[in-house]
């Protein structure tokens, strides 16, 4: 069992080093172990405005939004509520900037988090517009069309529940587009209504697109020591949640299949990053198409869109379309109430099936205890109770191994030139002492998925962001400013090594002591909530192992 446990620890340690190296390369824009280097040059507004200059203004295929710009200036409208401060651009009525007022920036806590922005460092915005369903059809109002903002309130006043901003386009291709944003108190959802007015003498058949555009760079302040998904996502009831990696879009040829569902009667599109997301939501029951692509002329710029045919609109008639734009934090329960599957933007990796019920328990504990730090402690205690008898059997096996370890070491030294006989004699000792050499390994494998799932719960839960625990821990999502928790975690890991049977090989014995030191290095840069979880788990394991060792008379 000692050999198996040592092999398992070496696998964990080696994989940790590989993940550290890959994360550092990803952070610095170098080639990673699993793909090409991440581009570090954002497509700023100058580059975006030059996109597709060779194309005709408003020109696009019937399947995708246009990429050619208009050089006309447009008014910038700033809208403020109690939770959002956004900038709407008169060019297309785009949302070009979204500031989350309740969430301090991870790099500069004196500022608010910017989810959307158009600057030299970031391009991230929400766009909508019309294209013709007929190839070669007339240009229609799109996100390059300069629109006029109607007079009205721009700030949510005391006692008011909403702010409404209305844009109207000029006539383009016989069509006028009216776009109305409705911001409500306390909500990160924005109701977006499109009214298509046919002012021509002939019927028109427009297609509406709802698009999110973003550069491929990681969010500012993202750690090099752990990886979280950043990129587009598509959800349908048929294929469920489908993440779309930037690197996969980059490698895709123009005629290649996109790797996600492209049509459905339900679903939504999103742009996902650690803690936050944006998403276009439309009520189910109407056909829609989904598209993702890299920008045809701007490097490191990607788009995901949902498109819907509005049907034939007779001369003089108006067709209205209702949608919702979500721009905010990944609060799981609130997201689940907005649209089917929207809570899946909170990335739990491969362990979603375990992580979701764990978060439900953690959320309940917080409702009782009122502190996320103590909720983490309580959840680890509950897990240790759930696995108490499984751990007890493992620790009894380890205690027996430690008790017979002096005999095994003496046997190894005495019969080191006779390996086959030595192995037979070792197995005889194990049988006599009723020691199962692999008895301590099975519980480790059984529990590992649960603790990995809990790791992802703590890593991805936005409620931890800015949440204090005790004293010096004022943000469970940030590293311990004084490294007290990582130091305690390292010491507890060393104590665990002392409680376990030592390898017979002196070099391997030294490595057993060095491995916790090397493995603990990354914990100095992990969020305090994650370190707290590992520390509590170590302390409870030590207590159980110590009690069992005492009961069995093992020092």
């Amino acid at each position: 069992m000692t050999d198996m446990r040592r092999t398992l620890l070496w696998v964990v340690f080696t994989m940790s080093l590989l993940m550290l190296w890959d994360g550092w390369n990803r952070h610095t824009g170098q080639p990673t172990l699993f793909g090409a280097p991440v581009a570090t040059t954002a497509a700023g507004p100058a580059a975006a405005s030059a996109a597709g200059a060779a194309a005709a203004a408003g020109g696009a295929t019937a399947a995708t939004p246009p990429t050619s710009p208009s050089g006309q200036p447009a008014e910038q409208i700033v809208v403020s509520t109690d939770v959002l401060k956004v900038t709407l651009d008169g060019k297309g009525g785009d949302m070009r900037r979204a500031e989350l007022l309740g969430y301090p920036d991870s790099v500069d806590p004196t500022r608010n988090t910017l989810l959307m922005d158009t600057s030299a460092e970031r391009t991230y915005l929400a766009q909508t517009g019309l294209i013709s369903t007929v190839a070669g059809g007339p240009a229609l109002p799109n996100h390059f069309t300069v629109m006029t903002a109607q007079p009205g309130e721009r700030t949510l006043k005391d006692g008011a529940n909403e702010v409404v901003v209305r844009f109207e386009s000029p006539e383009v291709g016989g069509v006028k587009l009216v776009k109305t944003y409705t911001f409500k108190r306390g909500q990160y959802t924005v109701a977006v209504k499109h009214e298509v007015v046919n002012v021509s003498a002939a019927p028109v058949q427009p297609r509406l697109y709802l698009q999110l555009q973003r550069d491929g760079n990681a969010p500012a302040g993202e750690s090099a020591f752990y990886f979280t998904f950043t990129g587009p996502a598509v959800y349908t009831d048929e294929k469920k949640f489908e993440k779309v990696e930037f690197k996969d879009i980059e490698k895709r040829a123009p005629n290649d299949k996109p790797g996600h569902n492209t049509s459905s009667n339900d679903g939504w599109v999103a742009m996902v990053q650690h803690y936050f997301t944006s998403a276009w939501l439309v009520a189910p029951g109407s056909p829609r198409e989904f598209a993702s692509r890299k920008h045809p002329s701007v490097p490191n710029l990607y788009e995901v869109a949902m498109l819907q045919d509005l049907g034939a609109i007779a001369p003089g008639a108006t067709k209205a379309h209702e949608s919702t734009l979500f721009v905010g934090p990944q609060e799981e329960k609130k997201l689940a109430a907005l649209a089917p599957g929207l809570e899946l933007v909170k990335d739990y990796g491969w362990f979603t099936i375990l992580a979701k019920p764990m978060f439900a328990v953690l959320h309940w504990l917080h409702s009782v205890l009122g502190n996320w730090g103590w909720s983490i402690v309580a959840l680890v205690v509950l897990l240790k109770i759930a696995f108490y008898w499984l751990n007890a059997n493992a620790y009894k096996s380890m205690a027996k191994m430690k008790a017979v370890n002096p005999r095994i070491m003496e046997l190894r030294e005495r019969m080191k030139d006779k390996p086959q006989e030595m192995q037979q004699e070792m197995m005889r000792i194990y049988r006599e002492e009723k020691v199962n050499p692999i008895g301590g390994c099975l519980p480790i494998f059984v529990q590992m998925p649960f603790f990995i799932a809990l790791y992802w719960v703590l890593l991805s839960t936005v409620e931890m962001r800015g949440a204090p625990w005790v004293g010096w821990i004022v943000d469970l999502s940030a590293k311990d400013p004084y490294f007290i928790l990582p130091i305690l975690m390292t010491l507890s890991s060393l104590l665990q090594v002392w409680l376990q049977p030592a390898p017979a090989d002196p070099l391997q014995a030294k490595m057993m002591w060095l491995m916790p030191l090397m493995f603990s290095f990354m914990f100095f840069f992990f969020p305090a909530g994650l370190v707290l979880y590992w520390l509590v788990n170590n302390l409870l394991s030590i207590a159980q192992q110590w009690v069992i060792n005492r009961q069995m008379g093992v020092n």
Side-chain angles (χ1 to χ4, degrees):
M1 189 275 292
T2 305
D3 292 335
M4 287 190 65
R5 187 177 65 254
R6 187 164 57 249
T7 301
L8 176 63
L9 289 174
W10 269 113
V11 170
V12 172
F13 176 63
T14 304
M15 289 302 297
S16 300
L17 288 180
L18 288 174
M19 291 173 66
L20 268 174
W21 178 251
D22 185 67
W24 177 254
N25 285 341
R26 187 184 300 275
H27 183 68
T28 57
Q30 301 300 314
T32 69
L33 296 172
F34 308 105
V38 178
T40 56
T41 302
S49 66
T61 69
T64 58
T67 58
S68 74
S70 167
Q72 294 174 270
E75 182 182 7
Q76 304 284 303
I77 305 295
V78 178
V79 182
S80 296
T81 72
D82 56 328
V83 296
L84 285 173
K85 182 178 181 181
V86 305
T87 300
L88 303 175
D89 194 344
K91 187 171 73 172
D94 297 346
M95 184 179 288
R96 303 185 66 84
R97 193 173 191 271
E99 185 177 344
L100 309 183
L101 301 182
Y103 291 89
D105 182 75
S106 59
V107 177
D108 182 0
T110 63
R111 303 182 305 173
N112 294 312
T113 293
L114 276 179
L115 181 56
M116 291 185 179
D117 195 18
T118 49
S119 66
E121 293 78 29
R122 171 70 67 220
T123 297
Y124 187 174
L125 63 161
Q127 304 165 321
T128 71
L130 302 174
I131 53 178
S132 176
T133 57
V134 179
L140 300 175
N142 56 48
H143 65 272
F144 295 117
T145 303
V146 175
M147 308 178 77
T148 302
Q150 302 303 299
E153 290 291 345
R154 303 294 187 243
T155 302
L156 185 66
K157 302 295 185 182
D158 292 340
N161 289 319
E162 65 181 32
V163 175
V164 179
V165 180
R166 180 184 174 95
F167 288 95
E168 293 185 5
S169 80
E171 181 271 327
V172 180
V175 168
K176 286 186 177 181
L177 177 62
V178 180
K179 183 188 296 189
T180 304
Y181 288 94
T182 302
F183 300 83
K184 294 189 177 182
R185 180 177 296 277
Q187 295 189 16
Y188 296 98
T189 52
V190 183
V192 185
K193 182 178 181 179
H194 294 85
E195 297 171 274
V196 183
V197 184
N198 184 358
V199 296
S200 72
V204 294
Q205 298 188 51
R207 168 175 288 185
L208 174 70
Y209 62 87
L210 308 169
Q211 177 170 276
L212 297 166
Q213 187 182 78
R214 192 192 192 282
D215 63 76
N217 298 333
E222 189 82 341
S223 174
F225 293 93
Y226 50 84
F227 171 73
T228 57
F229 174 72
T230 300
V234 174
Y235 179 90
T236 60
D237 188 57
E238 178 187 1
K239 295 293 184 69
K240 304 306 180 184
F241 183 66
E242 298 177 280
K243 294 189 288 189
V244 187
E245 297 278 359
F246 286 134
K247 66 177 184 291
D248 293 335
I249 299 177
E250 187 68 33
K251 293 185 294 186
R252 189 193 305 162
N255 295 324
D256 287 350
K257 293 182 179 180
H260 58 75
N261 201 358
T262 57
S263 63
S264 180
N265 286 329
D266 53 60
W268 43 261
V269 295
M271 195 67 75
V272 182
Q273 67 183 58
H274 194 200
Y275 291 137
F276 305 105
T277 196
S278 60
W280 280 111
L281 312 174
V282 176
S286 57
R288 62 205 69 187
E289 295 183 10
F290 306 99
S292 60
R293 65 179 181 182
K294 62 181 179 181
H295 199 281
S297 58
V298 180
N300 193 36
L301 189 61
Y302 306 90
E303 299 165 343
V304 63
M306 178 164 51
L307 304 96
Q308 287 195 287
D309 291 345
L310 300 182
I313 304 175
T318 299
K319 177 69 70 72
H321 180 279
E322 305 280 355
S323 61
T324 298
L325 175 61
F326 176 83
V327 184
Q330 296 169 359
E331 297 175 294
E332 185 173 333
K333 293 185 177 295
K334 293 181 180 179
L335 292 176
L338 288 176
L342 188 58
E343 75 279 6
L344 297 175
V345 297
K346 183 179 179 182
D347 188 14
Y348 288 139
W350 292 97
F351 294 93
T352 299
I353 192 171
L354 295 176
K356 285 178 71 68
M358 280 192 179
F359 174 76
V361 174
L362 183 67
H363 193 273
W364 175 78
L365 288 170
H366 179 261
S367 69
V368 175
L369 301 174
N371 181 284
W372 286 105
W374 290 118
S375 300
I376 292 171
V377 173
L379 182 57
V380 177
V381 170
L382 291 178
L383 282 174
K384 297 301 286 187
I385 291 173
F387 290 110
Y388 177 82
W389 293 112
L390 190 63
N391 285 323
N393 291 332
Y395 295 148
K396 286 177 182 178
S397 178
M398 290 182 184
K400 290 179 180 179
M401 285 291 295
K402 190 170 186 178
V404 302
N405 202 48
R407 293 174 61 188
I408 297 297
M409 294 181 69
E410 186 275 331
L411 177 65
R412 285 178 179 270
E413 180 64 26
R414 177 164 49 85
M415 306 184 69
K416 59 184 177 182
D417 296 328
K418 302 176 182 178
Q420 187 172 357
E421 294 181 22
M422 177 183 68
Q423 190 69 24
Q424 292 174 346
E425 186 65 16
M426 285 173 55
M427 296 307 297
R428 184 188 64 79
I429 294 174
Y430 289 151
R431 284 194 302 271
E432 288 179 355
E433 300 295 334
K434 298 181 180 180
V435 175
N436 183 356
I438 63 172
C441 295
L442 180 60
I444 295 175
F445 284 108
V446 171
Q447 295 178 73
M448 189 175 294
F450 290 88
F451 281 99
I452 293 175
L454 180 56
Y455 166 92
W456 281 105
V457 167
L458 301 180
L459 182 63
S460 59
T461 297
V462 70
E463 289 87 346
M464 302 287 176
R465 203 170 184 270
W469 178 42
V470 293
W472 75 103
I473 302 297
V474 296
D475 185 354
L476 288 165
S477 72
K479 67 181 181 181
D480 184 335
Y482 303 111
F483 303 110
I484 296 173
L485 288 179
I487 291 172
L488 292 175
M489 201 281 296
T490 302
L491 293 175
S492 67
S493 297
L494 293 173
L495 182 55
Q496 278 187 302
V497 173
W498 180 76
L499 288 170
Q500 296 172 4
D505 186 345
L507 179 60
Q508 292 177 348
K510 290 180 181 178
M511 286 305 301
M512 288 290 288
W513 286 97
L514 287 174
M515 281 176 61
L517 297 175
M518 294 184 287
F519 184 68
S520 298
F521 168 75
M522 69 180 71
F523 282 86
F524 282 77
F525 304 93
F526 269 22
L530 289 174
V531 184
L532 174 62
Y533 136 62
W534 279 109
L535 173 62
V536 175
N537 182 60
N538 279 0
L539 293 177
L540 293 175
S541 298
I542 288 169
Q544 190 174 8
Q545 178 74 77
W546 183 80
V547 169
I548 289 174
N549 284 358
R550 293 270 296 181
Q551 290 175 344
M552 300 186 68
V554 178
N555 296 323

